[in-house]
Amino acid sequence: GRNALVAMRTALDVTAHNVANAATPGYHRQEVVFEDISPGVLISRTTTGRGVRVADVRRLYDEFVGSQIRLESGNRSYWEVFNTHFPQIEAVFNDESGGGLAEPLNTFFSSWDEVSQHPEEYASRELLLKNGEYLAERLGSAYRTLEDLKKGLYDEAATTVDEVNELLGQIAELNRKIALAPGVLDLRDQRDLLLDRLNGLVRVTAFEEPNHKVTLLLGGTPLLEGETVHSLSVSHGTDGEIRYSVNLPGGARDVTDLIAGGKLKGITDLRDRTLAGYMDRLNAFAVNLTQEVNARHREGFGLDGATGQDFFLSPVSVTDPSGGGVVSKVAVSDPDALDYHRFQIDYVHNPPEDGGDFTVTDLTTGQVVSATVSIDPTTMRRTLSFSGLEVTVDGPMTADESFQVQVLKNAASSVSVTVANPESVAAARAVFQVDGTNDTILIDTGTVTQVKLPHGVYTGEELAALLESEVENASGGAVDLTVAFNPQVKMFRVENSPASSSSIDILWEDPSTTGGSLFGFSSDTPPLAPGDVVSSQSSVEAFAGAGIPGDNGNALALSALADEEVMAGRTPTEFYRELVSQVGVDGAASERMYSFQDSVVQGLEQKMEEMGGVNLDEEAANLIRFQKSFEAAAKMIQVADELLSTLIEMAGR
């Protein structure tokens, strides 16, 4: 009876403890395990045991389900980061609410169309500049918003690291207490709750030592050994990305690549992969748009005669070759390969004029990078492709030289309009006036012949074709010329086909020749044997007219950019829409994955609750059951006492 009283009293205490902690986070129901007390030495078949005792008090906790909850909670926290921040990202590209770039982009190209319809009007040019500034401002604003979000994510990572270290310290203290009193189940509940919270921040591996202390590993690197905490720290890497380190006795160890789940992994991936990818594409959009617009704007003339001017401030740092070539355009062909390094391009001239040899060196890493070179045989325009970039070099390169190229890290936010005067908007084409002062060319193909060019106004391409046909006709078919005009450097290139039957000498300096200045040849060139090539020695910019008043050829060319595949095989609008679509797809995926992971965690928590949760109705029934057992044991002692008293009285008689 005494043993039963003690056991039932313990059971009542455990039940009362369960009831008291029914709403305590992380608490798991405790249960008394009874065992009978054997009678000791067996005397007879009618001998009974000596009652009951409490063998153990256990908590109803499933280790496997607990480990699954930690794993899936980490996955939920990972997607929660994306789901929380994606509305801010989507707002940057939300064209329906006026936050995107589609409207200012379309307005900008429409403004060029308006200028082409009224090329002499000041108002249309002024409106173009305003719309260009608006596009640049919106582009910069979008980039800066993403940049601010990126900075905010770093601050959030730093706060999360502080929280991780605080949890490690609390778990270390619980390790100490549990080692002193391993049977205190409430301390284990508290430790498991902290481990759940820790795995929501960063995925760790936990195992219990024989001394009942847990050791925590981050991808094999210890974060907690018994009561010793190895704190986590965060910093910026050399590339600006987030780097995490564990401070060990031998020094800090970089564990960035070991973080496999939880909130920290979500912050890192969102900031340095997803968000950085959007910013790279926004930079690529800014680079390609400004480079294409600038390249065509340089070809044209303003009402004030200005030419060769950029429309936008270029987000690319370029040093031009010193031997005559010009870097006319830098395009981003692969945003994922864009690394914002500075590259040096070394060129070795191999006469007669050909592509030459190029070597590209990444000055940031000091490594030579692989590059391919394509050459336009007509204009000798060279395009170098490397590290996600395409660098176009125009003009004759006649010497060994080098130049450098770098896309600015904040390309999208550095764009602005550089044309200050509406009259300088280059709406007109580069045109050439052929008249009685420059219409005569003298050629020698064995016979000296005078060529007269028809008078009129020609574009560079039209003038090149005119020179080609007139000289070929004058030579009687002895030569087959290819004459090309490069609008980027405003130079002409003359090639005598290898199939020609005769050499040709164009006598540019002969007194009878008046067309030298028209084509930019300031001195005689050597006779061109079949296969030989010559380019004008100087730009014909000084000899080109400022365009015909009312000419809109260049404005039309700039307006047509809207429908040309000038951005990695896409039109500007298509390139931007792909970026917007990707943001939308990623945002929907993050919402879907978070919802899925949340349902998985809730299912596991429900399963754990079914096993270890406190049911007040069940505990109330247990209270009654254990109370009745306690009362019965007391009654048994009372009866035994009465029986003993009776026996003593009988014996006394």
Side-chain angles (χ1 to χ4, degrees), residues 411-467:
S413 64
S414 64
V415 176
S416 62
V417 174
T418 59
V419 177
N421 186 355
E423 293 184 353
S424 299
V425 172
R429 298 166 294 178
V431 294
F432 302 84
Q433 179 75 43
V434 179
D435 53 30
T437 65
N438 57 11
D439 62 348
T440 304
I441 298 172
L442 211 61
I443 64 172
D444 183 0
T445 56
T447 302
V448 177
T449 306
Q450 189 181 71
V451 178
K452 281 283 189 178
L453 301 178
H455 294 185
V457 178
Y458 302 91
T459 64
E461 292 78 5
E462 292 170 343
L463 187 59
L466 180 65
L467 177 65

Side-chain angles (χ1 to χ4, degrees), residues 392-422:
T392 302
V393 184
D394 281 299
M397 300 179 69
T398 58
D400 298 346
E401 53 190 309
S402 65
F403 55 97
Q404 296 181 7
V405 172
Q406 181 181 22
V407 174
L408 303 182
K409 183 72 174 178
N410 59 340
S413 64
S414 64
V415 176
S416 62
V417 174
T418 59
V419 177
N421 186 355

Side-chain angles (χ1 to χ4, degrees), residues 203-497:
R203 184 181 298 172
V204 296
T205 302
F207 58 90
E208 188 170 338
E209 303 285 0
N211 60 3
H212 305 291
K213 298 179 180 179
V214 295
T215 295
L216 302 180
L217 302 178
L218 176 59
T221 300
L223 284 177
L224 177 64
E225 295 178 294
E227 300 172 33
T228 303
V229 174
H230 304 296
S231 61
L232 191 67
S233 61
V234 61
S235 62
H236 284 106
T238 55
D239 52 5
E241 296 183 345
I242 292 179
R243 307 302 299 178
Y244 300 100
S245 300
V246 174
N247 300 309
L248 299 172
R253 179 184 299 174
D254 190 314
V255 294
T256 306
D257 295 336
L258 302 179
I259 295 178
K263 184 177 181 179
L264 281 183
K265 179 64 172 175
I267 291 173
T268 305
D269 285 354
L270 176 60
R271 180 186 186 273
D272 296 336
R273 293 186 182 180
T274 304
L275 191 57
Y278 299 155
M279 295 172 74
D280 287 343
R281 280 163 174 75
L282 207 56
N283 280 337
F285 176 81
V287 169
N288 290 351
L289 177 67
T290 57
Q291 292 286 294
E292 289 292 341
V293 171
N294 286 348
R296 296 201 180 181
H297 193 264
R298 286 193 296 265
E299 297 175 5
F301 288 80
L303 290 175
D304 57 0
T307 187
Q309 292 186 343
D310 286 343
F311 185 88
F312 288 112
L313 178 66
S314 176
V316 180
S317 172
V318 176
T319 59
D320 280 329
S322 58
V326 174
V327 179
S328 59
K329 187 169 58 178
V330 177
V332 178
S333 58
D334 183 4
D336 294 328
L338 191 61
D339 52 20
Y340 307 101
H341 292 180
R342 177 169 285 275
F343 297 92
Q344 177 166 308
I345 296 94
D346 295 296
Y347 171 77
V348 178
H349 176 62
N350 293 328
E353 186 177 354
D354 60 9
D357 295 327
F358 288 90
T359 302
V360 180
T361 305
D362 186 335
L363 297 180
T364 306
T365 64
Q367 302 295 316
V368 175
V369 300
S370 176
T372 59
V373 182
S374 60
I375 306 170
D376 185 329
T378 302
T379 63
M380 289 305 293
R381 172 177 290 171
R382 303 160 177 86
T383 301
L384 288 76
S385 301
F386 58 90
S387 301
L389 296 177
E390 289 184 351
V391 178
T392 302
V393 184
D394 281 299
M397 300 179 69
T398 58
D400 298 346
E401 53 190 309
S402 65
F403 55 97
Q404 296 181 7
V405 172
Q406 181 181 22
V407 174
L408 303 182
K409 183 72 174 178
N410 59 340
S413 64
S414 64
V415 176
S416 62
V417 174
T418 59
V419 177
N421 186 355
E423 293 184 353
S424 299
V425 172
R429 298 166 294 178
V431 294
F432 302 84
Q433 179 75 43
V434 179
D435 53 30
T437 65
N438 57 11
D439 62 348
T440 304
I441 298 172
L442 211 61
I443 64 172
D444 183 0
T445 56
T447 302
V448 177
T449 306
Q450 189 181 71
V451 178
K452 281 283 189 178
L453 301 178
H455 294 185
V457 178
Y458 302 91
T459 64
E461 292 78 5
E462 292 170 343
L463 187 59
L466 180 65
L467 177 65
E468 180 179 316
S469 63
E470 293 294 329
V471 171
E472 286 179 349
N473 291 337
S475 71
V479 296
D480 178 16
L481 293 187
T482 299
V483 182
F485 174 71
N486 189 327
Q488 288 293 325
V489 290
K490 298 183 177 67
M491 287 184 176
F492 290 89
R493 179 176 181 274
V494 182
E495 178 181 6
N496 190 11
S497 169

Side-chain angles (χ1 to χ4, degrees), residues 191-211:
R191 189 171 66 182
D192 285 331
L193 179 62
L194 294 180
L195 287 173
D196 291 345
R197 288 175 55 190
L198 181 63
N199 272 272
L201 302 179
V202 58
R203 184 181 298 172
V204 296
T205 302
F207 58 90
E208 188 170 338
E209 303 285 0
N211 60 3

